[in-house]
Amino acid sequence: MVEEALLQVKHLKKYYEIPQGLFKKDIIVRAVDDVSFTVNRGETFALVGESGCGKSTTGKTILRLTDPTEGQVIFNGTDVAGLEYNEMRSLRKQLQMVFQDPYASLNPKKTIKQILMEPLRVHNQFDEKDRLQKIKDMLEIVGLSKDYLDRYPHEFSGGQRQRIGIARAVILQPDFIVADEPVSALDVSVQSQVINLMLDLQKEFGLTYLFISHDLSVIEHMTDRVAVMYLGKIVEVADTETLFKDPKHPYTQALISAVPISHPAENKERVILKGDVPSPANPPSGCAFHTRCPFAMDICRQVAPETKTFSDGHTASCHLYTKSEEEQKYVTSDSK
Ligand code: SF4
């Protein structure tokens, strides 16, 4: 199958300025710092990393829920980052979002019918009678009864509320959905039901997902390719199977080693990361991961690593793969 790029993110930056008052320099928080990746039509592309790594801000910036500081977001040939408000509004029908907290993202004062009717009205889809039929069909597709139409969000369980959130995103039949931690607020027992629903909808409607999560076991189950983010930058990209079998970047290796084992007989060496994620307002010099990396070398503290592309298309930004053996022998004693 020929892969067709639906979304291209090029050198995307999102910086926030925090004013410090008169006579003091504003602090710049680099939430997303020069991020580039491509999502192919029909695939599920994951962004993974610890909280605060910039993955949610990347998703929101792609959808223009917040404006980018720099860079391009090319969706189906159109640069979303450069669109005026009205142009963006008409494109929004094709770009939707599923939020983490299904309760906070549904208006508690509106019935399910009103919640699902709103996007159809805003985008002028169908006449009133057909809209109602469309809503009933959509509820059935996401596994809810049409008898629930006049109920309010608080009358549903967390899993049911997320089904409503998914129905609201899919009802306009978009091409692309950003799903921001869509199952992390749900009980483990309902997580797999919601994931399976999303996979079924992907097949039925030909959806493309950008799936944002900190949970690698969910990522392993439902995504095709993965980008690993650390402090606003992408440090590794690979197809999901390759990433889990052969993680290259020390940060990815640590994340994967922390995934719970599925059987007690499984033997896995854990990599425990030192310290907390540094502040994106004051990122470490060189490789931003050097303060926690068990393999940090002198060069890592001074020079940001380039991205190495391996023969299978797998990429990693780490001096372990880009520097000569001569340079690598300067491994510091604390890394041994
Ligand atoms: Fe670790 Fe250096 Fe690679 Fe960064 S560049 S991940 S500090 S080895």
Side-chain angles (χ1 to χ4, degrees):
M1 195 176 88
V2 181
E3 287 171 349
E4 181 200 346
L6 180 66
L7 180 89
Q8 290 169 284
V9 176
K10 296 183 178 176
H11 305 292
L12 188 68
K13 294 182 183 174
K14 178 66 192 179
Y15 293 173
Y16 294 97
E17 280 182 33
I18 305 177
Q20 298 298 297
L22 278 181
F23 313 120
K24 278 196 176 167
K25 234 175 135 186
D26 292 351
I27 291 176
I28 310 281
V29 177
R30 294 171 168 81
V32 179
D33 197 9
D34 202 0
V35 159
S36 299
F37 60 89
T38 298
V39 183
N40 297 316
R41 190 180 285 279
E43 78 170 342
T44 301
F45 186 88
L47 276 184
V48 68
E50 292 163 288
S51 355
C53 70
K55 53 193 191 306
S56 292
T57 309
T58 303
K60 286 181 186 139
T61 313
I62 288 170
L63 295 186
R64 283 283 298 275
L65 299 179
T66 176
D67 285 333
T69 307
E70 242 181 84
Q72 285 183 302
V73 176
I74 299 170
F75 175 75
N76 235 346
T78 303
D79 185 5
V80 173
L83 290 183
E84 296 294 330
Y85 177 78
N86 279 347
E87 297 167 315
M88 189 61 222
R89 196 162 174 250
S90 57
L91 196 68
R92 229 172 251 301
K93 183 174 160 297
Q94 296 166 51
L95 299 159
Q96 291 290 310
M97 184 150 188
V98 174
F99 295 89
Q100 174 179 5
D101 183 344
Y103 193 65
S105 68
L106 300 175
N107 188 335
K109 293 183 183 158
K110 289 192 172 173
T111 63
I112 301 317
K113 181 176 154 189
Q114 289 169 322
I115 288 170
L116 296 181
M117 189 65 87
E118 196 172 357
L120 296 176
R121 283 206 180 117
V122 167
H123 292 279
N124 214 6
Q125 300 291 297
F126 314 109
D127 60 29
E128 202 68 13
K129 189 169 133 281
D130 288 347
R131 281 177 193 154
L132 189 57
Q133 189 55 48
K134 181 85 185 164
I135 290 169
K136 287 178 182 172
D137 293 347
M138 188 47 71
L139 278 181
E140 199 173 312
I141 288 169
V142 299
L144 294 172
S145 165
K146 57 182 186 305
D147 299 337
Y148 294 164
L149 273 176
D150 294 318
R151 292 195 189 177
Y152 291 86
H154 74 270
E155 297 178 73
F156 294 90
S157 68
Q160 287 174 320
R161 284 197 290 261
Q162 195 55 299
R163 285 172 189 271
I164 296 162
I166 291 169
R168 181 180 55 184
V170 175
I171 201 161
L172 290 168
Q173 297 199 357
D175 291 318
F176 182 74
I177 291 181
V178 174
D180 187 3
E181 302 271 12
V183 296
S184 60
L186 305 178
D187 291 343
V188 175
S189 57
V190 289
Q191 283 187 356
S192 55
Q193 295 170 14
V194 171
I195 287 170
N196 289 337
L197 169 65
M198 290 183 70
L199 291 172
D200 289 347
L201 291 171
Q202 183 172 39
K203 269 194 217 136
E204 186 165 348
F205 297 108
L207 299 170
T208 304
Y209 291 132
L210 177 65
F211 193 91
I212 295 169
S213 179
H214 68 280
D215 185 342
L216 273 113
S217 35
V218 173
I219 297 270
E220 187 175 15
H221 178 69
M222 82 162 284
T223 69
D224 300 301
R225 287 191 304 134
V226 185
V228 181
M229 282 189 81
Y230 186 76
L231 269 190
K233 289 183 187 293
I234 288 181
V235 296
E236 182 160 6
V237 181
D239 68 67
T240 308
E241 203 184 335
T242 307
L243 190 96
F244 279 83
K245 267 198 202 140
D246 182 24
K248 301 282 190 197
H249 196 281
Y251 179 56
T252 315
Q253 290 166 0
L255 289 182
I256 289 178
S257 83
V259 175
I261 52 173
S262 51
H263 193 278
E266 208 177 299
N267 197 4
K268 191 153 114 179
E269 198 185 324
R270 294 224 184 272
V271 181
I272 310 290
L273 289 178
K274 298 181 281 182
D276 295 324
V277 183
S279 165
N282 187 20
S285 58
C287 170
F289 187 55
H290 83 248
T291 54
R292 304 171 79 198
C293 179
F295 307 106
M297 302 169 276
D298 283 343
I299 189 172
C300 305
R301 303 176 215 293
Q302 288 145 31
V303 183
E306 286 168 14
T307 300
K308 158 100 177 170
T309 304
F310 298 88
S311 56
D312 57 357
H314 188 162
T315 65
S317 306
C318 173
H319 287 304
L320 290 173
Y321 307 103
T322 54
K323 291 296 153 194
S324 65
E325 284 179 13
E326 184 60 23
E327 287 166 305
Q328 282 187 34
K329 76 184 178 195
Y330 296 108
V331 179
T332 51
S333 53
D334 63 330
S335 67
K336 289 181 178 169

